Amino acid sequence: MLELLQARGRMGGPELARRLEVGERTVRRYVSMLQEMGVPVEAERGRYGAYALRPGFRLPPMMFTDEEALALALGLLSARRLGLSGAAPAVEGAQAKLERVMPEELRERVRIFEEVVIPATTPERLPAGQIVVTMSGAVRERKQVWMRYRSDSGEETERAIDPYAVVRGDAFWYTFGYCHLRQARRLFRLDRVISVDVLDLAFELPSGFDTPEGVLEALADMREDSWSVEVLLETTIGEARGQLPKMGVSLEETSGGVVMRSSTSDLAWMSRVLAGLSFPFVVRKPSELREALRRLAAELVALAGRT
């Protein structure tokens, strides 16, 4: 029906029924289905009434295999869990339209995924979807942005940013780039961005920031924290990446193992990260990290002795 209306522009109910080899009641049901899916089919009442698409509307017919439709449905379910406030209604609408035309067997497979698969992490605070989209567009176009930002203390500032990347951490969404207010590279939580506008000012992306790996490695050294950490991990780089935080840590493969570098103001947190590893390691610096590990070990021994 959609193909016919796009090709002919306007068709009566009897003619549509004849071309589709169905009854006029089925034609009316098809019209209702298209309208529910968001296709603007308009019905003209009267003796010579007909059906037509709203002027200016064009939608190419799309046909998907079962596996393609399943992939789209699972992608929409995953997008719902990405943690973008404001995006949920659009995702729900797209999901409903897709499921409405899916065979029952496929719908059941999607329901199983939705009911059984549990997301391991849920962002604590959700940024507005438009903030993420605007910032991502600026990253892609390498355009400077003007941002109004609220700090952890509640102070609001306005500043120009050269956004290098948008990163989703375990708990928050971030943008990483050069802050013209502070004259240094900074990491900004997107849920604290009040507003952002793209400026007509281009910037040059620094060398090494054109891959996700380069951005994540840069995040390990950008913060002005108290301690510079270096640890030799006696494992492979693949195993290390699977067990360490994705942000704030850089890894270098050497003949003796994998060198992990990071910076932190909380050695107790770093000691807990290292204690959770399944492979041996050697703390190279700082020596205070060894003391933090000893304190953690003593706490665990004391807890193990409790009854």
Side-chain angles (χ1 to χ4, degrees):
M1 178 181 283
L2 182 58
E3 291 175 351
L4 286 171
L5 291 176
Q6 288 187 145
R8 301 284 293 276
R10 180 180 179 276
M11 294 184 69
E15 185 180 3
L16 276 170
R18 181 180 60 80
R19 294 290 300 273
L20 297 173
E21 298 182 354
V22 297
E24 290 190 46
R25 179 178 298 178
T26 302
V27 168
R28 290 192 291 271
R29 188 171 73 249
Y30 287 172
V31 169
S32 296
M33 290 173 62
L34 287 173
Q35 289 172 337
E36 289 175 6
M37 294 169 63
V39 179
V41 180
E42 298 178 340
E44 301 174 1
R45 304 288 183 183
R47 182 179 179 183
Y48 300 101
Y51 298 102
L53 290 177
R54 184 179 303 159
F57 178 82
R58 295 290 297 177
L59 177 67
M62 292 179 288
M63 302 296 292
F64 299 108
T65 65
D66 284 359
E67 292 306 313
E68 289 171 341
L70 180 62
L72 286 171
L74 298 185
L76 287 168
L77 289 172
S78 299
R80 184 194 300 168
R81 296 169 175 176
L82 278 176
L84 293 178
S85 64
V91 172
E92 292 290 349
Q95 180 70 23
K97 292 175 184 177
L98 184 60
E99 288 190 5
R100 194 175 293 121
V101 296
M102 292 173 72
E104 179 57 34
E105 181 183 351
L106 275 184
R107 283 201 297 270
E108 182 61 25
R109 292 169 70 182
V110 172
R111 290 192 201 104
I112 291 171
F113 177 89
E114 188 172 12
E115 293 173 3
V116 173
V117 177
I118 302 171
T121 61
T122 301
E124 295 179 13
R125 296 183 185 176
L126 310 182
Q130 190 56 44
I131 295 290
V132 176
V133 171
T134 301
M135 198 70 77
S136 300
V139 170
R140 185 170 184 263
E141 300 297 326
R142 298 185 184 176
K143 289 292 184 66
Q144 194 177 107
V145 300
W146 184 259
M147 181 175 71
R148 186 168 181 81
Y149 189 74
R150 182 183 295 111
S151 68
D152 188 32
S153 63
E155 178 190 6
E156 294 186 7
T157 56
E158 293 185 345
R159 61 187 76 200
I161 303 291
D162 296 345
Y164 298 161
V166 171
V167 183
R168 187 195 174 209
D170 290 337
F172 303 103
W173 286 77
Y174 302 89
T175 191
F176 167 55
Y178 183 82
C179 174
H180 290 267
L181 177 65
R182 305 302 183 196
Q183 298 291 300
R185 292 172 183 167
R186 287 289 188 271
L187 189 67
F188 299 96
R189 271 176 42 182
L190 292 186
D191 60 290
R192 293 179 178 163
V193 176
I194 301 170
S195 62
V196 61
D197 295 300
V198 180
L199 305 177
D200 194 23
L201 294 171
F203 65 87
E204 291 292 329
L205 191 66
S207 176
F209 288 81
D210 53 350
T211 64
E213 293 77 14
V215 171
L216 292 176
E217 288 180 6
L219 290 175
D221 303 318
M222 62 159 290
R223 295 178 296 175
E224 297 177 356
D225 290 322
S226 302
W227 306 101
S228 178
V229 174
E230 185 173 309
V231 179
L232 177 65
L233 310 174
E234 297 177 356
T235 185
T236 64
I237 196 164
E239 187 73 18
R241 283 187 178 134
Q243 298 189 32
L244 287 167
K246 292 180 173 58
M247 291 182 59
V249 171
S250 69
L251 300 174
E252 179 187 356
E253 196 164 21
T254 67
S255 58
V258 177
V259 176
M260 182 200 80
R261 297 184 178 87
S262 184
S263 60
T264 182
S265 58
D266 188 354
L267 289 179
W269 170 80
M270 182 58 71
S271 67
R272 291 192 296 272
V273 170
L274 294 175
L277 301 177
S278 64
F279 41 79
F281 57 84
V282 178
V283 175
R284 288 182 172 177
K285 65 177 185 178
S287 60
E288 290 82 357
L289 179 55
R290 297 191 186 93
E291 294 301 321
L293 283 165
R294 291 189 185 98
R295 287 193 295 271
L296 177 60
E299 292 172 8
L300 292 173
V301 169
L303 288 171
R306 295 181 66 178
T307 60

